[in-house]
Amino acid sequence: MKQLSIIVPVYNAEKWLRRCVDSLLNQDLPREDYEIILVDDGSADGSPMICDEYQAAHAGLVRVIHQPNSGVSMARNAALDVAVGGYVMFVDADDYIEPNCLKEVVEKARCSNSDILFYRHRVITEQSERIMNSVPSGITEREVCTGEVYVLNGGNTGSIWRGMYPRDVIEKLGLRFYPNITHQDVLFNYQILPFVERIAFSDVLVYNYVYEGESLSRTKSVEKIKYNIYNDFVVAAEINKYAAKLQSLELQKFYTRYANSMLVSLYC
């Protein structure tokens, strides 16, 4: 079994796609130990051709799925259905990772026997660059904690590109990304974290999140703002419903408070 599956949803990303995939190939992890799954989500630009070029040039390492446009959640789900890695890493097509970083973080995950490994990331804007981590308050990068402790101590439950996730836990829970919403990362994290026993942290810089005004996934508009409000309703309702399934009463209360605070904020 491969150690790592890297999932990249691709939609009209020809401007950034080669930078992204090249960064995934420029790694010190043996090629037989990982796979790159590119999911062309009905792109109307040159992205499908670029995906096929990489698959032809790197057979056995790069795999391509073509599907009608269905959104990022369904693209990720299609890749999860065929992924074989022990860990799953999610990368957006307009971002990229550092060269020769995967071997160290995969070894850290294995040696620490962690379910999830969070690593450092860089946020890049036109004005600045910041290197950040996902370590909650009161916990150091050298510690290992449960998913419950991570959540209750204010751990970041946002974007899933912050770390590597255990495919066996994802499959055991039957987890997939909620379709047609933009906050699917938050919901996915809230669903998996209560069932994670060991979260470890790495000080290795891995991920580069590039905030570009022209990026389709980050464009702001009145319609998108309205859509995000709808998404908040969906996520809050799903988290509230999910809370009832949790064994930890403390976590149940936290989930309920979080969901209710989301709903209240929509009216403020």
Coordinates of all heavy atoms in Angstrom, one line a residue, residues 16-57:
W16 N -2.4 28.0 -13.0 CA -1.6 27.6 -11.8 C -1.3 26.1 -11.8 O -0.4 25.7 -11.0 CB -2.4 27.9 -10.5 CG -3.0 29.2 -10.4 CD1 -2.4 30.4 -10.1 CD2 -4.4 29.6 -10.6 NE1 -3.3 31.4 -10.2 CE2 -4.5 31.0 -10.5 CE3 -5.6 28.8 -11.0 CZ2 -5.7 31.6 -10.6 CZ3 -6.8 29.5 -11.1 CH2 -6.8 30.9 -10.9
L17 N -1.9 25.3 -12.6 CA -1.8 23.8 -12.5 C -0.4 23.3 -12.6 O -0.1 22.4 -11.8 CB -2.8 23.2 -13.5 CG -2.9 21.7 -13.4 CD1 -3.4 21.3 -12.0 CD2 -3.9 21.2 -14.4
R18 N 0.4 23.7 -13.5 CA 1.7 23.2 -13.6 C 2.6 23.5 -12.4 O 3.3 22.6 -12.0 CB 2.4 23.7 -14.9 CG 1.7 23.3 -16.2 CD 2.5 23.7 -17.4 NE 1.8 23.4 -18.7 CZ 1.7 22.2 -19.3 NH1 2.4 21.2 -18.7 NH2 1.0 22.1 -20.4
R19 N 2.4 24.7 -11.9 CA 3.2 25.0 -10.6 C 2.8 24.1 -9.5 O 3.6 23.6 -8.8 CB 2.9 26.5 -10.2 CG 3.5 26.9 -8.9 CD 3.1 28.3 -8.5 NE 1.7 28.4 -8.1 CZ 1.1 29.5 -7.8 NH1 1.7 30.6 -7.8 NH2 -0.2 29.4 -7.5
C20 N 1.5 23.8 -9.4 CA 1.0 22.9 -8.3 C 1.6 21.5 -8.5 O 2.2 20.9 -7.6 CB -0.5 22.9 -8.3 SG -1.2 21.7 -7.2
V21 N 1.3 20.9 -9.7 CA 1.7 19.5 -9.9 C 3.3 19.3 -9.9 O 3.8 18.4 -9.3 CB 1.2 18.9 -11.2 CG1 1.5 17.5 -11.4 CG2 -0.4 19.1 -11.2
D22 N 4.0 20.3 -10.5 CA 5.4 20.2 -10.4 C 5.9 20.2 -9.0 O 6.9 19.5 -8.6 CB 6.1 21.4 -11.1 CG 6.0 21.3 -12.7 OD1 5.7 20.1 -13.1 OD2 6.1 22.3 -13.4
S23 N 5.3 20.9 -8.1 CA 5.7 21.0 -6.7 C 5.5 19.6 -6.0 O 6.2 19.2 -5.1 CB 5.0 22.1 -5.9 OG 3.6 21.7 -5.6
L24 N 4.4 18.9 -6.4 CA 4.1 17.6 -5.9 C 5.1 16.5 -6.4 O 5.3 15.5 -5.7 CB 2.7 17.2 -6.3 CG 1.6 18.2 -5.8 CD1 0.2 17.6 -6.2 CD2 1.6 18.4 -4.3
L25 N 5.6 16.8 -7.6 CA 6.6 15.8 -8.2 C 8.0 16.1 -7.6 O 8.8 15.1 -7.6 CB 6.6 16.0 -9.7 CG 5.3 15.5 -10.4 CD1 5.4 16.0 -11.9 CD2 5.1 14.0 -10.3
N26 N 8.3 17.3 -7.3 CA 9.6 17.7 -6.8 C 9.8 17.3 -5.3 O 9.9 18.2 -4.5 CB 9.8 19.2 -7.0 CG 11.3 19.6 -6.7 OD1 12.2 18.8 -6.7 ND2 11.4 20.9 -6.5
Q27 N 9.8 16.0 -5.1 CA 9.8 15.5 -3.7 C 10.8 14.4 -3.5 O 11.2 13.7 -4.4 CB 8.4 15.0 -3.3 CG 7.3 16.1 -3.3 CD 7.6 17.2 -2.3 OE1 8.1 16.9 -1.2 NE2 7.3 18.4 -2.7
D28 N 11.2 14.3 -2.2 CA 12.2 13.3 -1.9 C 11.5 12.0 -1.4 O 12.2 11.0 -1.1 CB 13.1 13.8 -0.8 CG 12.4 14.4 0.4 OD1 11.2 14.4 0.4 OD2 13.1 14.9 1.3
L29 N 10.2 11.9 -1.3 CA 9.5 10.7 -1.0 C 9.6 9.8 -2.2 O 9.3 10.2 -3.3 CB 8.0 11.0 -0.7 CG 7.2 9.8 -0.1 CD1 7.7 9.4 1.2 CD2 5.7 10.3 -0.1
P30 N 10.0 8.5 -2.0 CA 10.1 7.6 -3.2 C 8.8 7.5 -3.9 O 7.7 7.5 -3.4 CB 10.4 6.2 -2.5 CG 11.1 6.6 -1.2 CD 10.4 7.9 -0.8
R31 N 8.9 7.5 -5.3 CA 7.7 7.6 -6.1 C 6.7 6.5 -5.9 O 5.5 6.6 -6.1 CB 8.1 7.8 -7.6 CG 8.8 9.1 -7.8 CD 8.8 9.5 -9.2 NE 9.2 10.9 -9.4 CZ 8.9 11.7 -10.4 NH1 8.3 11.2 -11.5 NH2 9.3 12.9 -10.5
E32 N 7.3 5.3 -5.5 CA 6.4 4.2 -5.3 C 5.6 4.3 -4.0 O 4.6 3.5 -3.8 CB 7.2 2.9 -5.3 CG 8.2 2.7 -4.2 CD 9.6 3.3 -4.5 OE1 9.6 4.1 -5.5 OE2 10.5 3.0 -3.8
D33 N 5.9 5.3 -3.2 CA 5.3 5.4 -1.9 C 4.1 6.4 -1.9 O 3.4 6.5 -0.9 CB 6.3 5.9 -0.8 CG 7.2 4.8 -0.4 OD1 7.0 3.6 -0.8 OD2 8.2 5.1 0.3
Y34 N 3.9 7.1 -3.0 CA 2.7 8.0 -3.0 C 2.1 8.1 -4.4 O 2.7 7.7 -5.4 CB 3.1 9.4 -2.5 CG 4.0 10.3 -3.4 CD1 3.4 11.5 -3.9 CD2 5.3 10.1 -3.7 CE1 4.2 12.3 -4.7 CE2 6.1 10.9 -4.4 CZ 5.5 12.1 -5.0 OH 6.3 12.9 -5.7
E35 N 0.9 8.7 -4.5 CA 0.2 8.9 -5.7 C -0.4 10.3 -5.7 O -0.7 10.8 -4.7 CB -0.9 7.8 -5.9 CG -2.0 7.9 -4.8 CD -3.1 6.9 -5.0 OE1 -3.1 6.3 -6.1 OE2 -4.0 6.8 -4.2
I36 N -0.5 10.8 -6.9 CA -1.2 12.1 -7.1 C -2.4 11.9 -7.9 O -2.3 11.4 -9.1 CB -0.2 13.1 -7.9 CG1 1.1 13.3 -7.1 CG2 -0.9 14.4 -8.1 CD1 2.2 13.9 -7.9
I37 N -3.6 12.3 -7.4 CA -4.8 12.1 -8.1 C -5.4 13.4 -8.5 O -5.8 14.3 -7.7 CB -5.9 11.3 -7.2 CG1 -5.3 10.0 -6.7 CG2 -7.2 11.1 -8.0 CD1 -6.2 9.3 -5.7
L38 N -5.4 13.7 -9.8 CA -5.9 15.0 -10.4 C -7.3 14.7 -10.8 O -7.6 13.8 -11.7 CB -5.1 15.4 -11.5 CG -3.5 15.6 -11.3 CD1 -2.8 16.0 -12.6 CD2 -3.3 16.6 -10.2
V39 N -8.3 15.5 -10.3 CA -9.7 15.3 -10.7 C -10.1 16.5 -11.5 O -10.3 17.6 -10.9 CB -10.6 15.1 -9.4 CG1 -12.0 14.8 -9.9 CG2 -10.1 14.0 -8.5
D40 N -10.2 16.3 -12.8 CA -10.7 17.4 -13.7 C -12.2 17.5 -13.5 O -12.9 16.6 -14.0 CB -10.3 17.1 -15.1 CG -11.1 17.9 -16.1 OD1 -11.3 19.1 -15.8 OD2 -11.5 17.4 -17.2
D41 N -12.6 18.6 -12.9 CA -14.1 18.8 -12.6 C -14.8 19.5 -13.8 O -15.3 20.6 -13.5 CB -14.2 19.5 -11.3 CG -15.6 19.5 -10.8 OD1 -16.4 18.5 -11.0 OD2 -16.1 20.6 -10.3
G42 N -14.7 19.0 -15.0 CA -15.4 19.6 -16.1 C -14.8 20.9 -16.5 O -15.6 21.8 -16.9
S43 N -13.5 21.0 -16.5 CA -12.8 22.3 -16.8 C -13.1 22.7 -18.3 O -13.2 21.8 -19.2 CB -11.3 22.2 -16.6 OG -11.0 22.0 -15.2
A44 N -13.3 24.0 -18.5 CA -13.5 24.5 -19.9 C -12.3 25.1 -20.5 O -12.3 25.6 -21.6 CB -14.6 25.5 -19.9
D45 N -11.1 25.1 -19.8 CA -9.9 25.6 -20.3 C -8.9 24.5 -20.7 O -9.4 23.4 -21.0 CB -9.3 26.6 -19.3 CG -8.9 25.9 -18.0 OD1 -9.1 24.7 -17.9 OD2 -8.3 26.6 -17.1
G46 N -7.6 24.7 -20.6 CA -6.7 23.7 -21.0 C -6.3 22.7 -19.9 O -5.4 21.9 -20.1
S47 N -7.0 22.8 -18.7 CA -6.7 22.0 -17.6 C -6.7 20.5 -17.9 O -5.9 19.7 -17.5 CB -7.6 22.3 -16.4 OG -7.3 23.6 -16.0
P48 N -7.8 20.0 -18.6 CA -7.9 18.5 -18.9 C -6.7 18.0 -19.7 O -6.1 16.9 -19.4 CB -9.2 18.4 -19.7 CG -10.0 19.6 -19.3 CD -9.0 20.7 -19.1
M49 N -6.2 18.8 -20.7 CA -5.1 18.4 -21.4 C -3.8 18.4 -20.6 O -3.0 17.4 -20.7 CB -4.8 19.4 -22.6 CG -3.7 19.0 -23.5 SD -3.4 20.3 -24.8 CE -2.9 21.7 -23.7
I50 N -3.6 19.3 -19.7 CA -2.5 19.4 -18.8 C -2.5 18.2 -17.9 O -1.4 17.5 -17.7 CB -2.4 20.7 -18.0 CG1 -2.3 21.9 -19.0 CG2 -1.3 20.7 -17.0 CD1 -2.4 23.2 -18.3
C51 N -3.6 17.9 -17.3 CA -3.7 16.7 -16.5 C -3.3 15.4 -17.2 O -2.5 14.6 -16.7 CB -5.2 16.5 -16.0 SG -5.7 17.7 -14.8
D52 N -3.8 15.2 -18.4 CA -3.4 14.1 -19.2 C -2.0 14.0 -19.6 O -1.4 12.9 -19.6 CB -4.3 14.0 -20.5 CG -5.8 13.7 -20.2 OD1 -6.1 13.2 -19.1 OD2 -6.6 14.0 -21.1
E53 N -1.4 15.2 -19.8 CA 0.1 15.2 -20.1 C 0.9 14.7 -18.9 O 1.8 13.9 -19.1 CB 0.5 16.6 -20.4 CG 0.1 17.2 -21.7 CD 0.5 18.6 -21.9 OE1 1.2 19.2 -21.0 OE2 0.2 19.2 -23.0
Y54 N 0.5 15.1 -17.7 CA 1.2 14.6 -16.5 C 1.0 13.1 -16.3 O 1.9 12.4 -15.9 CB 0.8 15.4 -15.3 CG 1.5 16.8 -15.1 CD1 0.9 18.0 -15.5 CD2 2.8 16.8 -14.7 CE1 1.5 19.2 -15.3 CE2 3.5 18.0 -14.5 CZ 2.8 19.2 -14.8 OH 3.5 20.4 -14.7
Q55 N -0.2 12.7 -16.5 CA -0.5 11.2 -16.4 C 0.4 10.4 -17.3 O 0.9 9.4 -17.0 CB -1.9 10.9 -16.6 CG -2.3 9.5 -16.4 CD -3.8 9.2 -16.5 OE1 -4.4 8.7 -15.5 NE2 -4.4 9.5 -17.6
A56 N 0.5 10.9 -18.6 CA 1.3 10.2 -19.6 C 2.8 10.2 -19.2 O 3.5 9.2 -19.4 CB 1.0 10.8 -20.9
A57 N 3.2 11.3 -18.7 CA 4.7 11.4 -18.4 C 5.1 10.8 -17.1 O 6.2 10.4 -16.9 CB 5.0 12.9 -18.3

